[in-house]
Amino acid sequence: MTIAVPSLPVTQRPLFLIFACAAVAIAVLHLQYADWRRFSMLAIGCGLGVALYHAAFGFTGAYRKLLVERDLSGIVAQAVMLAIAMILFAPVLSAGGAFGLKAGPAIAPLNVSLVTGAFIFGLGMQLAGGCASGTLFTAGGGNVRMIVVLVFFCAGSFWGSLDLPFWRTLPSLGAVSLGREFGYVGGIAIQLAMLGAILGALWLWGARIRQPLWGGDKALSWRTLVHGPWPLLLGAIMLALLGFATLLAKGFPWGVTWGFTLWGAKAAMALGWDPASSSFWTPAWRQGALRADLLMEATSLMNIAIILGAGMAASLAGKIAPNLRIGWRPFLAAVIGGLMLGYGARLAYGCNIGAFFAGISSTSLHGWVWIFVAMAGNVIGVRLRPLFRLA
């Protein structure tokens, strides 16, 4: 028996080859150095880009649909993703690693910087129209406006790095890990109960699952796996599995925004900025990251891979069609939103991925604080969208 896999639309084949050849070229570079861990991160990043694009797995849209339409679909998918990830993470984090490789959790303090940054980020999400991972996969898919967001995301993140030493002087309650306080089994049980309580409260508020989580009118087939779209739950499962693979390959949970900070800093250096002028950039490992090639730094490499993976997925779907006509108000929202995303993420120890997903998967209490405060920012951001002619 043979399985016929649908061919790629003719008009998108050159674009697919460009993205695929770029990924292969980077892979060959890392194979040349016999660096299997970075080669793995490249493959994982491409997989994340494909999963994010084909499942249209965005945090920003899910929060907006919850607030405007009381649509619970995206929130349920995120809950499933978190539940799978925390269960997979627990034995590895408890043992301090796996397969002879060290792995550590994403744990951050509960402080003024976290709260301020999460609120700014949440507001910026709705103005920008995406979070960090959302910006990467939509930019990779050819969305010109989100490329603008990405540029100013990097600028805002670099700006935040210059101000972060001040924010760290403000009051802090320290870091709290539920896994360390109650054991990972107890910590996961508490977090699963919290997820259930949140979903229950939203149900009582009137939120309902208003779109199919799996299948719908289209059955899962080779065509949908290759060309998309994917069911929302498939995207959630794949992101959890690839997030776990990132923990094993990288030794630390999936993060995005450190790569943006680094890109912004390198651009600033090219314009004459001196890293020695900032205490944030004086530690040896950050100096090393500034000197290294962008393809050699783990988070930067994975971000580039996500863009390439999303580009391949978009070309497979036949949907790359850049629109250069951006009204001045949506453009202004992209600039402001991008700056807020970058600045907020740097203050809050990450974004929906680095703080929320990685934090909760690591049983860190800062991940929960982040999402509750960020949602408050989303509420205001949704109300401001009409001012910028955003749907």
Side-chain angles (χ1 to χ4, degrees):
M1 183 181 70
T2 59
I3 299 175
V5 179
S7 62
L8 187 65
V10 175
T11 55
Q12 301 284 284
R13 286 178 184 172
L15 295 173
F16 176 80
L17 288 174
I18 290 172
F19 287 112
C21 288
V24 170
I26 297 172
V28 170
L29 172 66
H30 289 293
L31 286 177
Q32 177 184 354
Y33 292 105
D35 195 338
W36 70 267
R37 295 189 75 168
R38 284 191 172 83
F39 177 79
S40 299
M41 284 184 270
L42 172 66
I44 293 167
C46 287
L48 287 167
V50 171
L52 286 164
Y53 188 90
H54 273 341
F57 200 97
F59 294 87
T60 305
Y63 301 154
R64 186 163 62 250
K65 288 182 178 180
L66 174 67
L67 295 170
V68 176
E69 305 171 17
R70 300 197 182 189
D71 184 351
L72 199 56
S73 310
I75 308 303
V76 170
Q78 290 179 36
V80 170
M81 176 188 67
L82 289 170
I84 294 173
M86 67 176 74
I87 291 171
L88 291 174
F89 277 41
V92 175
L93 295 179
S94 178
F99 309 111
L101 302 172
K102 293 182 179 180
I107 298 176
L110 309 176
N111 55 21
V112 174
S113 180
L114 168 68
V115 173
T116 305
F119 180 81
I120 293 172
F121 189 93
L123 201 163
M125 285 173 65
Q126 295 301 332
L127 295 184
C131 58
S133 59
T135 299
L136 284 175
F137 88 78
T138 49
N143 188 313
V144 175
R145 183 177 177 275
M146 295 310 291
I147 294 175
V148 174
V149 171
L150 178 58
V151 170
F152 285 92
F153 201 139
C154 295
S157 193
F158 171 66
W159 175 17
S161 74
L162 302 181
D163 289 351
L164 190 58
F166 161 75
W167 288 100
R168 285 179 172 171
T169 64
L170 301 180
S172 173
L173 298 176
V176 178
S177 167
L178 298 176
R180 292 175 181 174
E181 294 292 331
F182 303 99
Y184 276 96
V185 173
I188 289 174
I190 293 171
Q191 293 201 139
L192 290 175
M194 292 173 69
L195 284 175
I198 291 170
L199 292 176
L202 292 174
W203 186 273
L204 291 175
W205 177 58
R208 296 292 184 270
I209 298 174
R210 305 190 187 281
Q211 59 179 307
L213 295 178
W214 189 277
D217 296 333
K218 296 182 179 180
L220 188 62
S221 65
W222 282 108
R223 173 174 286 276
T224 54
L225 284 175
V226 174
H227 296 287
W230 288 5
L232 195 55
L233 275 186
L234 177 59
I237 293 168
M238 290 303 300
L239 291 178
L241 294 176
L242 290 169
F244 178 62
T246 301
L247 176 67
L248 298 178
K250 190 179 179 183
F252 196 76
W254 180 22
V256 175
T257 55
W258 160 245
F260 294 168
T261 307
L262 183 60
W263 295 355
K266 280 184 169 288
M269 285 179 62
L271 295 175
W273 168 70
D274 180 10
S277 64
S278 169
S279 61
F280 177 88
W281 291 99
T282 52
W285 74 271
R286 291 187 179 123
Q287 289 285 321
L290 285 172
R291 290 191 298 268
D293 190 288
L294 288 177
L295 294 175
M296 300 304 293
E297 201 286 322
T299 304
S300 174
L301 172 64
M302 287 194 67
N303 287 353
I304 293 170
I306 290 172
I307 292 174
L308 294 177
M312 285 187 278
S315 56
L316 284 167
K319 293 182 177 179
I320 297 183
N323 182 7
L324 298 177
R325 298 180 63 182
I326 306 174
W328 72 267
R329 291 192 186 189
F331 181 87
L332 182 60
V335 172
I336 297 173
L339 289 172
M340 295 183 76
L341 288 173
Y343 194 86
R346 191 70 277 131
L347 267 58
Y349 307 97
C351 58
N352 295 75
I353 301 301
F356 178 48
F357 172 76
I360 291 179
S361 299
S362 302
T363 70
S364 177
L365 197 56
H366 90 279
W368 293 100
V369 173
W370 188 96
I371 187 58
F372 283 118
V373 177
M375 281 303 299
N378 272 266
V379 171
I380 297 175
V382 167
R383 293 176 181 272
L384 291 177
R385 283 175 62 86
L387 297 178
F388 296 93
R389 302 283 175 84
L390 299 173

